[in-house]
Amino acid sequence: MAQLMQQQGGGAGAPKSAEEMQAAEEQREAAEEQRRAMLVNLMQPAARDRLARISLVKPDKARAIEDMLIMAARRGQIQEKVSEPRLIELLEQVSEQTEKKTKVTIQRRRGALDDDWLASFCLPRVCARPDNNKTPAMSMSMLGTRDRASDSWPAAAAVAAVAAAARQSSWDYSSLLAPQRFAGIAFDDLPGFTRSVYERNYALVSPESFVFAGNPGWTNATTAHIISPAVGANFAMLLADMKAHSRGERPPESHERFIFVLDGVVEVVAGSERVTLHADDFAYIPAHLKHTVTSSNGAGLLLFERRYALKGTSPRFVHGGTQAQPVLPVPGEVFQLRKLLPQTADYDFNVHVMDFLPGEYLNVKEVHYNQHGLLLLQGKGIYRLGNDWYPVQAGDAIWMAPYVPQWYAALGTSESRYILYKDTTVDPLHA
Ligand code: UGY
Ligand code: MN
């Protein structure tokens, strides 16, 4: 032990006592253990095995990849376990970067973590999308936490492991003053923090509050009901996370259903029609029409459902692509408006898709008897609901009850798009 103390106690400062050295060793082991636990939660088993094999021959490279994954997790940029194919991509990127760096003689100094690397984990709601091309880029991975039974890693373990990793690399306060702080702060990393609010006549539900759970009408899929008649709405707004080989059955006969594809591909069979829908496509299935929604490889859906409220009318099965719908004139407003359902008296609601350039805002500070369910598909801005003003970003969902004052201004650097349920042809004298 004396020899060990001599070896390790060299350098500045008083030699460490045996107890101190033991405590330091125990701390190091605990930190390593927590790091291992975190990595287990960040990678799928096949990815872990591959990295373990790499570490046998290239321990430094494996360690660097682990550091990057931990840092990405720390920034809230990993929401799904890293798969083996994803890990292979990352390994290739590292090899390319190492190659580039060895070819260049003068190189700007970078930390252990390369920002390009982090960018590859970036979710649209965390990072700006300068390459915005009007294509909605929503995916289920940005729609927040799954239910407890799912495969997402426990936040407490992650936080503990991140803390351990930080401790291990000594006191590193550099990020407090680093330029990245201007890129946006991941508030949802703060314990207990959420932007979700529920008020008498509106709700803002941000993705960290979405709770996905099994639903008897769905096989191999989970759904999150964000709005339902339980809050006084005349409709339900839900997200469906469809895994491979999943299926959704029709809702009760009296319910009509609107499907908007956020991610992946689904097949809808409704009566004698069969259509394949991709991201940004939609379908409306009238009440009483038997149908199924299936996905072979998985998909993310937004659904609006309601009890059909009209009599003596006959809405038909409708489907299409959002971009193929004409932009409609909106006198006095600047946003681009598309309506996804026919504007006839057969439909008791419509679904609007509204695009705003940064800096554009609603001219009318609306107050009306129609109800809304909204999902912000892209961009960010400020939503006024009642007397409150909320910063909002892609992935956020909003419920607006009749007569709630509402207003939106698009901010940031990329275009904003939201999809909006709006009840129509409802007699305002009929509560
Ligand atoms: O049509 C509407 O009521 C829509 N302009 N409302 C909204 O964007 N909040
Ligand atoms: Mn409105």
Side-chain angles (χ1 to χ4, degrees), residues 366 368 372 400 406 420 422:
E366 298 175 14
H368 50 61
H372 287 317
M400 291 174 243
Q406 56 198 258
L420 184 83
K422 181 173 186 172

Side-chain angles (χ1 to χ4, degrees), residues 333 335 337 339 352 354 356 362 366 368 370 372 374 383 400 406-408 418 420 422:
E333 295 286 4
F335 60 84
L337 172 67
K339 293 190 183 183
H352 298 186
M354 296 168 57
F356 300 78
L362 286 176
E366 298 175 14
H368 50 61
N370 316 78
H372 287 317
L374 178 156
Y383 228 101
M400 291 174 243
Q406 56 198 258
W407 181 83
Y408 180 63
Y418 59 71
L420 184 83
K422 181 173 186 172

Side-chain angles (χ1 to χ4, degrees), residues 192-260:
F193 180 87
T194 177
R195 288 179 297 112
S196 300
V197 282
Y198 176 73
E199 296 292 337
R200 184 187 61 80
N201 54 2
Y202 71 81
L204 166 65
V205 189
S206 45
E208 70 279 3
S209 301
F210 297 169
V211 177
F212 286 83
N215 181 325
W218 296 78
T219 309
N220 253 349
T222 51
T223 59
H225 272 79
I226 294 165
I227 303 169
S228 80
V231 297
N234 64 9
F235 67 101
M237 171 171 160
L238 52 150
L239 296 165
D241 183 7
M242 300 184 76
K243 309 274 187 264
H245 312 296
S246 51
R247 180 183 173 94
E249 304 297 337
R250 69 188 297 192
E253 267 197 30
S254 55
H255 294 193
E256 53 190 334
R257 177 180 263 175
F258 178 90
I259 298 173
F260 182 84

Side-chain angles (χ1 to χ4, degrees), residues 120-136:
S120 69
F121 285 107
C122 268
L123 299 167
R125 71 187 174 87
V126 177
C127 307
R129 289 167 24 82
D131 59 341
N132 177 11
N133 58 4
K134 283 196 97 167
T135 308

